[in-house]
Amino acid sequence: MQPLDSALDRFATVTGRSVLYNSDLVAGRTASPVHGRYASLDALRYLLEGTGLTVEEARTGQVTALVLKLADEESLAAAARLQAGMNDFGDGLRQGIWEAICADARTAGDDYRALMRLAVDATGRVRDVRLLDSTGNAERDEAITEVVGRLRTDLPPPGMPQPLAVLIRPGQPGEPACRSPRERP
């Protein structure tokens, strides 16, 4: 995460589209991280999630400007509900991934990191699993894709952006550890 004004400068550099705003409006606000490829307006909306701001397209002839403004109370409440739903969903998805990874001897090791991209369909089925980088072991890479691809989870909240990026780092501080078969109940 980074200060919103810095993120807006980066947005303008990457997309070639400037955003008009009062500096007092963005002061002290933090941008939400944006990962993946999106249309510029969608990327900006994701960047603004949780800031209490929204973007409006103002058109004059053939010129379109992106203008930041305070979100109304209803929009703020809806955004807060979506964010809470996404957090709950993400926690459940990560738990399911860990359980699946730890249940398979091919993926239960603790000496790798795996960054994957995936989507969850309207039935809760994980699909389109793709490792974004190798774990260093081709057999394990294939096993992770297979194991996670069989996963079913809760339904994603309506409006949740996809695909999702998930990083697992077995054995690293702050991450769950897979128990050996002797430790399992």
Side-chain angles (χ1 to χ4, degrees):
M1 292 212 236
Q2 65 180 354
L4 184 56
D5 58 348
S6 298
L8 292 169
D9 288 345
R10 179 76 179 136
F11 171 84
T13 300
V14 170
T15 65
R17 295 189 74 181
S18 296
V19 181
L20 305 175
Y21 59 89
N22 181 318
S23 58
D24 291 338
L25 192 62
V26 300
R29 296 180 196 260
T30 303
S32 292
V34 178
H35 305 285
R37 292 178 182 231
Y38 302 99
S40 60
L41 187 57
D42 290 335
L44 182 56
R45 286 184 176 128
Y46 295 140
L47 191 78
L48 295 174
E49 282 181 358
T51 64
L53 301 175
T54 188
V55 62
E56 185 176 279
E57 285 187 291
R59 295 187 177 166
T60 305
Q62 292 187 346
V63 176
T64 302
L66 300 174
V67 181
L68 294 190
K69 65 178 192 170
L70 284 172
D72 60 45
E73 290 299 318
E74 187 176 317
S75 297
L76 288 174
R81 286 191 302 274
L82 176 60
Q83 188 63 50
M86 287 175 20
N87 290 344
D88 292 344
F89 174 79
D91 291 346
L93 177 63
R94 281 186 57 79
Q95 180 65 34
I97 290 172
W98 275 107
E99 289 172 4
I101 293 290
C102 289
D104 192 301
R106 300 171 299 164
T107 58
D110 64 356
D111 60 343
Y112 68 92
R113 78 188 277 279
L115 177 60
M116 65 190 89
R117 190 171 113 179
L118 56 89
V120 180
D121 69 19
T123 67
R125 188 177 141 263
V126 174
R127 59 180 178 80
D128 303 329
V129 179
R130 187 176 69 139
L131 285 180
L132 300 177
D133 194 16
S134 175
T135 65
N137 178 315
E139 289 177 15
R140 180 173 46 219
D141 293 351
E142 186 176 323
I144 289 170
T145 302
E146 175 191 322
V147 166
V148 175
R150 289 192 309 247
L151 188 63
R152 288 203 178 268
T153 189
D154 293 332
L155 301 182
M160 184 181 80
Q162 293 198 56
L164 307 170
V166 179
L167 174 64
I168 59 167
R169 301 172 306 156
Q172 297 299 308
E175 295 282 8
C178 295
R179 296 184 298 177
S180 71
R182 290 188 304 258
E183 297 175 296
R184 293 182 191 145

